[in-house]
Amino acid sequence: MFDWRPSEFPPRHQAPVRDLLPKPGYPGVIRTHFDRGGRVVLIPLKDFPVRVLLWAFPGGYCLDGTTPGITMMTYDLLKEETVHYSRERLAGELERLMAGVKSRTTEDVVYVMLHVIGPKWPEALNRYMEILHEPAFSQELVKKEALRSIQQIMALRADPSHLARVHFREVVFGSHPYHLVDPPIPFLNGLHRWQLLDHYLKTFRPRQGVWILGGDVDDTLIKSLDERITGPDEASPAISHEMFPIEERDRARWVYRPGSVQTTYVLGVSLPGIDAERWPAYQMASTILGGGASSRLFIRLREEKGYTYGAYSQVQFFRHGGYWAMSAQVRNEVFEDALRETVHILEEFADRGPTDEELMSARRQLLGRYTIQIETLEGVIKREVDRFSLDLPANYWETYPERIMSVTREDVCSVLEAWSQPYRLVCVGEPYKSKQPPEPHYLAERYNNTLKRAVEWDIAELA
Amino acid sequence: MSNMDLLKAMEWPINEHRLDNGLRVLLMTNHRVPLAGVVVYYHVGARDEKPGETGFAHLFEHMMFQASAHVKKNEFFKYIESWGGSFNGNTTHERTVYYEVLPADQLPLALWLESDRMRSLAVTREHLQNQIDTVKEERRYRYDNAPYMGAWLLFNETAYSNFANAHSVIGSMEDLDAATLERVKQFFHTYYRPDNAVLVISGDFEIDATLSWVNYYFGDIQPGGPIPRPELDEPPLDGPKRLDVDDPHAQLPALLFGYRIPPWGDEAFYPAWLFLTALADGRGAFLKRKLIHELGLAVDIMPIFDGRRGPGMADILMIHPPNVEGDHLMEKTQSLISEYVHSLDDKELERAKAVILREKFTDWQENLERALTVGEHAVLDGDPKQYIRDMKSLLEITPSDVKDHAQKLFIPENRVHAVIRSTNKNVSGGSDV
């Protein structure tokens, strides 16, 4: 806490800052095992009447095998009904208990989470265990939800940011499972309950993965939980851990969106799989480039040029690959100028690296942001899921401040070399008032004019 | 432990002060995490705009981040972020709010920045033009280039007759272009003053030391004269009202409908909120069960409770399959609502109350959310503790209270509905070059 006495207050023209670093304290987390097998993470945070229980298991999209979307649909529909509870009854009862069950399939992990506020934990836990152990996957539900999913995907494709995300993933990851954003429509059209049931039976291995228990909890809950978990002990199917191939050419994709008054663009590069030691350097570099309102992209494109409402940089790592992308939405008439400016900002940064002031600022930003992120139980749980999902060192988050503080200028320059790889570019909009994309290499030469590299436009019809 | 007991645990001690210049100061300590949240509410919003200047209150919010006597352009962002904080602001019809979260050691920095711009906004024509461009991009991003959002703007213009209530917060492109620096200065002097603001600080700090800083930075900012307030009265809707909207971005058609509700504080306000929640909020909501899961007539249903100090609206956006006709869906939905008004029971109401409480409790884990909650009530109701009374009132409402009010409010005569047609030609990948 600040300790200035009033007589020491600085004059009004001077910013009252103290040269102190944020001091985040990661909560005491207990990592243990069930007696009967299975990892447990206990996060006791008793200052708020909330409890969370989450089961996460590895694989994510990579569990799909030759059926993209099967894992996402299986664990989405798992929580909808059980052999004893219809969807209507289950949803209503959980909400009356001030509880919610959420499932999510990501690139590397699947999780099913129970979140309860207040005293109805025992009843909510019963429903959660039933959801995990006795899902129904009735054909009526599967048929309706497959149709609804198709309609939801159609509705989502009206959103230019979603379209950009779908295409950027394809341009970066090709046919690797990481490209998945929505389940494929032909798969949904033919979906049958037996597929989901079969996938559930193959993948539901509750003593694999990790159980995260947080909030108003203590270790006595671990024993009672251990007794309630049933299911096969053998390993789930092997997961392909192959790295996706990085293509040698720049790839760009044009998505014509009639009537668009803005063009959304994403410019990025592929990254290798997560490297826990270098991740902080990537975060520092991305923060300086486009991590907030004081970043280079934001200041130049919004505050100086007025091209956009926001321009950002994002580094996204998975176990076996990742990307670093810059994105913005701009009015059509300034699209080319904005893209050129984006490349210029990047190139300047890659050539000269960060200033000392930027480095110090990024360190404080990341530490401050981290302190804010772990203020809530949900924030801590997200970090624990990331730790499991990315296979980070056990003490990764406890030592995060030291990791950030140890990043040097050379480390940041080193990760900026990622931008010497072939570029990936996706543009969604109608900047030329025509369904036809730009003349061959016309735009490519402009956006990449300073790097003097040829770019081929890639074509993909949206189903 | 009952839900009422849970609520008691949410009655946070609030240390309240008022400076001589009229600034209300609310302090809430919580030492669990070394963070401090600073929130400044100004009692001015889009409803205070005049015809020809729609979007001005929100544009002005952007101007407050530009420059002040001791803080040059872009320095606000740099100060907050480079010392480990985050910030933002937002504008509604009713009020404008600015907030920062910082490491607790840097709390004086947020107070200095907020006081400097309250005392001495110093913007130029260049700043103004830059932010007009930025806000126009925001309008394109949020409304003109997004599915269903253009319809939302037209819907509100139909739902209200009084300009103060009907026009959008984001404003029209023409009005944004017409904004002048002179009007920015006038707006600042009229509304951005300590006696029209509430300062809330929440988190890890000591009260006496913080009050010294507050007095040092804010104590000598001058209050102003009387503040003009708009007339918010509306004639009855006298519906049903209907409009057609062609949406070039929507891939699926939608129905947007809503019912006029009374202002905050009216005895029908909370029953209306609960009824909308029972109908459409949460996975177990009545209309989701019926129209999505049972009948397959809707794809997604989203409730929008637009409660205001003047008349407000209880709205629902319903995205539906192309083979369902919008007016038919409205008719079917209205008939279901009429049946539901009579069948609503304790169990249904219990679910609706739990959905609202769970959302509030989840938000209130964060210091910043607590500060935003008490600040909002302080500036709009005059009483920062109104948030807890609201929740208690909500818990005491019975099914018959809800039925009594819902059968008068959720009827065709009190309804507006927009039939949103998709005129979208399928998006495609481009052609090979």
Side-chain angles (χ1 to χ4, degrees):
Chain A
M1 251 179 291
F2 51 90
D3 54 1
W4 267 307
R5 282 188 291 273
S7 58
E8 298 170 336
F9 286 177
R12 287 259 180 74
H13 66 271
Q14 193 181 317
V17 289
R18 281 262 156 124
D19 194 8
L20 298 169
L21 290 166
K23 295 185 283 283
Y26 199 72
V29 171
I30 300 159
R31 295 190 176 78
T32 181
H33 289 83
F34 287 126
D35 290 343
R36 297 162 63 195
R39 291 161 64 180
V40 186
V41 175
L42 191 71
I43 310 166
L45 280 177
K46 291 175 182 284
D47 66 331
F48 207 82
V50 58
R51 283 176 175 175
V52 172
L53 175 61
L54 178 148
W55 172 59
F57 67 101
Y61 297 162
C62 298
L63 289 168
D64 285 351
T66 54
T67 317
I70 185 76
T71 310
M72 197 188 286
M73 286 308 288
T74 301
Y75 286 91
D76 264 5
L77 298 197
L78 175 92
K79 66 181 186 304
E80 292 296 317
E81 61 179 10
T82 72
V83 293
H84 304 296
Y85 275 76
S86 67
R87 163 153 54 187
E88 179 176 337
R89 201 173 146 214
L90 185 61
E93 179 161 328
L94 281 168
E95 285 177 332
R96 275 190 290 278
L97 297 170
M98 280 221 267
V101 175
K102 182 172 138 185
S103 66
R104 183 140 189 257
T105 303
T106 71
E107 292 72 9
D108 293 313
V109 75
V110 181
Y111 65 78
V112 187
M113 180 173 86
L114 170 69
H115 182 276
V116 189
I117 286 181
K120 309 283 178 59
W121 165 261
E123 297 96 316
L125 181 62
N126 287 342
R127 296 292 81 74
Y128 176 73
M129 284 299 175
E130 200 175 310
I131 284 169
L132 283 181
H133 289 97
E134 298 178 87
F137 297 120
S138 70
Q139 181 57 17
E140 189 192 349
L141 174 93
V142 172
K143 204 173 159 187
K144 280 185 176 174
E145 280 305 302
L147 175 62
R148 187 172 170 230
S149 295
I150 293 170
Q151 293 166 337
Q152 283 177 319
I153 291 167
M154 282 175 69
L156 269 174
R157 286 184 181 173
D159 172 7
S161 301
H162 185 78
L163 273 177
R165 190 159 54 246
V166 167
H167 285 272
F168 187 72
R169 287 298 188 103
E170 287 180 9
V171 165
V172 170
F173 296 122
S175 60
H176 187 277
Y178 284 168
H179 85 271
L180 197 72
V181 175
D182 304 317
I185 287 172
F187 156 73
L188 289 171
N189 267 325
L191 191 63
H192 193 279
R193 73 179 295 252
W194 293 115
Q195 291 170 275
L196 300 180
L197 203 51
D198 182 57
H199 196 66
Y200 166 76
L201 292 171
K202 275 184 191 155
T203 55
F204 181 67
R205 299 289 183 274
R207 295 209 179 266
Q208 293 183 14
V210 63
W211 291 78
I212 300 173
L213 185 56
D216 187 11
V217 295
D218 55 44
D219 56 8
T220 58
L221 278 171
I222 296 177
K223 188 169 166 39
S224 65
L225 199 56
D226 193 5
E227 287 163 1
R228 302 189 63 171
I229 297 169
T230 58
D233 290 334
E234 77 272 21
S236 53
I239 301 158
S240 163
H241 285 178
E242 282 176 21
M243 176 60 191
F244 56 90
I246 295 180
E247 296 190 33
E248 291 305 312
R249 65 190 177 102
D250 290 351
R251 292 182 67 197
R253 184 170 292 181
W254 187 261
V255 185
Y256 177 66
R257 182 174 183 265
S260 232
V261 297
Q262 282 182 319
T263 302
T264 302
Y265 62 87
V266 186
L267 176 70
V269 284
S270 301
L271 295 178
I274 180 73
D275 174 346
E277 299 310 311
R278 296 185 81 203
W279 193 15
Y282 279 103
Q283 288 180 308
M284 296 265 290
S286 184
T287 299
I288 294 165
L289 185 59
S294 59
S295 70
R296 292 186 180 202
L297 280 171
F298 196 93
I299 296 279
R300 187 89 61 89
L301 295 181
R302 172 175 148 148
E303 293 297 318
E304 291 175 8
K305 300 284 186 182
Y307 288 159
T308 182
Y309 177 55
Y312 300 98
S313 159
Q314 185 198 10
V315 166
Q316 185 70 59
F317 275 118
F318 309 119
R319 277 204 190 195
H320 313 294
Y323 59 82
W324 185 349
M326 299 180 292
S327 60
Q329 305 85 20
V330 300
R331 58 189 177 277
N332 291 333
E333 55 269 34
V334 301
F335 162 58
E336 283 191 29
D337 291 338
L339 192 53
R340 192 182 301 121
E341 194 67 38
T342 302
V343 173
H344 179 69
I345 292 164
L346 168 69
E347 188 182 50
E348 197 174 57
F349 187 34
D351 281 354
R352 297 182 196 167
T355 64
D356 289 342
E357 190 190 344
E358 283 178 324
L359 276 178
M360 199 57 222
S361 167
R363 287 189 189 109
R364 289 202 207 96
Q365 269 189 71
L366 285 166
L367 291 184
R369 205 178 297 159
Y370 171 69
T371 314
I372 294 168
Q373 285 162 346
I374 59 174
E375 183 185 3
T376 62
L377 174 63
E378 289 80 356
V380 178
I381 284 176
K382 180 176 183 321
R383 252 116 233 117
E384 289 300 318
V385 171
D386 282 350
R387 182 202 308 265
F388 173 71
S389 166
L390 297 170
D391 199 22
L392 300 172
N395 66 351
Y396 187 83
W397 294 115
E398 285 85 344
T399 56
Y400 183 74
E402 292 79 34
R403 290 171 186 273
I404 289 294
M405 291 311 293
S406 67
V407 174
T408 64
R409 187 173 189 284
E410 290 65 37
D411 295 333
V412 171
C413 292
S414 154
V415 300
L416 278 165
E417 285 170 17
W419 289 94
S420 63
Q421 297 177 80
Y423 282 5
R424 310 296 186 228
L425 171 67
V426 167
C427 302
V428 179
E430 192 195 20
Y432 299 98
K433 294 283 169 204
S434 156
K435 191 166 185 173
Q436 292 303 314
E439 290 299 309
H441 301 292
Y442 171 80
L443 181 63
E445 283 163 11
R446 273 167 168 64
Y447 103 72
N448 228 349
N449 61 349
T450 52
L451 294 179
K452 308 289 182 206
R453 289 203 315 226
V455 174
E456 292 174 41
W457 284 101
D458 191 19
I459 315 302
E461 286 299 323
L462 199 62
Chain B
M1 184 190 261
S2 67
N3 286 343
M4 227 20 137
D5 294 329
L6 270 179
L7 266 183
K8 281 179 190 149
M10 298 297 129
E11 288 185 48
W12 316 303
I14 301 173
N15 193 300
E16 186 167 358
H17 304 264
R18 193 184 282 272
L19 305 192
D20 290 345
N21 59 16
L23 179 68
R24 286 184 84 178
V25 183
L26 309 171
L27 306 175
M28 300 155 67
T29 56
N30 176 356
H31 302 289
R32 189 172 75 76
V33 182
L35 290 171
V38 172
V39 169
V40 183
Y41 274 94
Y42 290 93
H43 192 172
V44 59
R47 66 180 203 164
D48 298 292
E49 295 161 356
K50 297 177 176 61
E53 62 170 26
T54 61
F56 194 85
H58 170 247
L59 173 65
F60 189 88
E61 175 211 317
H62 279 241
M63 297 306 293
M64 284 287 278
F65 290 97
Q66 291 297 296
S68 52
H70 303 112
V71 183
K72 296 192 190 77
K73 166 117 177 151
N74 295 330
E75 284 188 351
F76 188 98
F77 309 146
K78 287 182 180 171
Y79 273 125
I80 294 289
E81 292 190 340
S82 71
W83 290 97
S86 63
F87 67 88
N88 214 331
N90 65 63
T91 306
T92 67
H93 272 90
E94 311 270 352
R95 89 295 178 277
T96 310
V97 63
Y98 303 86
Y99 53 87
E100 298 85 34
V101 182
L102 281 155
D105 289 324
Q106 310 296 354
L107 170 58
L109 175 63
L111 299 176
W112 177 68
L113 289 166
E114 287 296 356
S115 67
D116 204 53
R117 62 184 178 179
M118 185 189 287
R119 180 197 314 277
S120 58
L121 189 70
V123 292
T124 64
R125 279 181 212 288
E126 193 185 355
H127 298 153
L128 177 61
Q129 188 53 54
N130 168 254
Q131 288 309 303
I132 288 173
D133 287 343
T134 299
V135 171
K136 285 167 73 181
E137 285 310 304
E138 183 177 355
R139 183 187 156 110
R140 290 185 183 102
Y141 172 64
R142 291 193 195 280
Y143 297 94
D144 301 342
N145 209 36
Y148 313 118
M149 295 308 289
W152 170 250
L153 299 182
L154 293 172
F155 176 84
N156 280 309
E157 287 171 12
T158 310
Y160 299 99
S161 308
N162 183 336
F163 170 82
N165 302 319
H167 75 278
S168 69
V169 174
I170 193 72
S172 74
M173 292 295 200
E174 296 74 23
D175 289 355
L176 288 169
D177 275 331
T180 64
L181 197 59
E182 291 63 41
R183 182 65 181 124
V184 169
K185 287 175 183 166
Q186 189 191 20
F187 200 82
F188 177 71
H189 289 300
T190 307
Y191 296 109
Y192 279 70
R193 345 179 313 201
D195 52 331
N196 194 39
V198 175
L199 167 67
V200 191
I201 307 170
S202 169
D204 183 21
F205 59 89
E206 285 172 5
I207 286 177
D208 288 345
T210 300
L211 270 177
S212 300
W213 283 101
V214 169
N215 271 301
Y216 178 61
Y217 283 131
F218 290 90
D220 62 351
I221 302 175
Q222 291 303 303
I227 295 173
R229 299 292 181 202
E231 180 56 58
L232 301 175
D233 285 352
E234 286 279 347
L237 248 180
D238 202 18
K241 287 188 175 179
R242 177 189 182 285
L243 67 156
D244 283 298
V245 184
D246 288 340
D247 191 324
H249 301 304
Q251 296 265 5
L252 290 182
L255 178 68
L256 174 59
F257 64 99
Y259 303 88
R260 174 75 63 73
I261 55 167
W264 292 0
D266 187 284
E267 62 169 1
F269 184 83
Y270 295 109
W273 186 9
L274 274 175
F275 191 67
L276 180 73
T277 306
L279 279 178
D281 203 352
R283 293 173 59 212
F286 172 72
L287 289 178
K288 291 186 181 175
R289 298 192 316 247
K290 285 286 174 189
L291 292 171
I292 297 178
H293 303 311
E294 195 179 310
L295 302 170
L297 294 175
V299 176
D300 262 323
I301 294 176
M302 286 153 269
I304 307 153
F305 189 70
D306 187 10
R308 303 182 184 188
R309 275 177 301 169
M313 293 290 291
D315 304 324
I316 294 176
L317 174 67
M318 209 177 262
I319 298 172
H320 60 83
N323 61 349
V324 174
E325 200 270 316
D327 286 310
H328 170 72
L329 181 59
M330 185 68 258
E331 207 175 301
K332 179 70 189 170
T333 305
Q334 188 64 55
S335 131
L336 286 170
I337 289 174
S338 304
E339 286 169 28
Y340 188 57
V341 168
H342 298 291
S343 67
L344 183 87
D345 58 14
D346 273 328
K347 213 170 153 186
E348 290 287 301
L349 200 58
E350 189 192 345
R351 190 200 69 84
K353 289 175 182 177
V355 165
I356 292 173
L357 282 184
R358 182 161 177 261
E359 190 186 319
K360 293 283 179 197
F361 285 4
T362 302
D363 288 347
W364 288 342
Q365 291 179 80
E366 291 178 31
N367 274 314
L368 176 64
E369 286 296 336
R370 295 180 187 194
L372 288 168
T373 298
V374 302
E376 181 107 12
H377 284 283
V379 76
L380 298 182
D381 297 325
D383 182 357
K385 293 195 172 168
Q386 185 62 37
Y387 77 95
I388 205 81
R389 277 195 287 277
D390 283 357
M391 288 296 112
K392 284 180 181 169
S393 307
L394 204 78
L395 288 184
E396 283 164 359
I397 288 169
T398 65
S400 65
D401 296 332
V402 176
K403 284 179 190 179
D404 287 348
H405 293 291
Q407 64 192 356
K408 292 175 200 148
L409 295 173
F410 289 73
I411 53 175
E413 295 73 24
N414 193 38
R415 187 189 77 207
V416 179
H417 82 271
V419 173
I420 306 171
R421 286 189 298 258
S422 162
T423 55
N424 180 284
K425 301 173 192 76
N426 276 341
V427 174
S428 70
S431 51
D432 203 350
V433 288

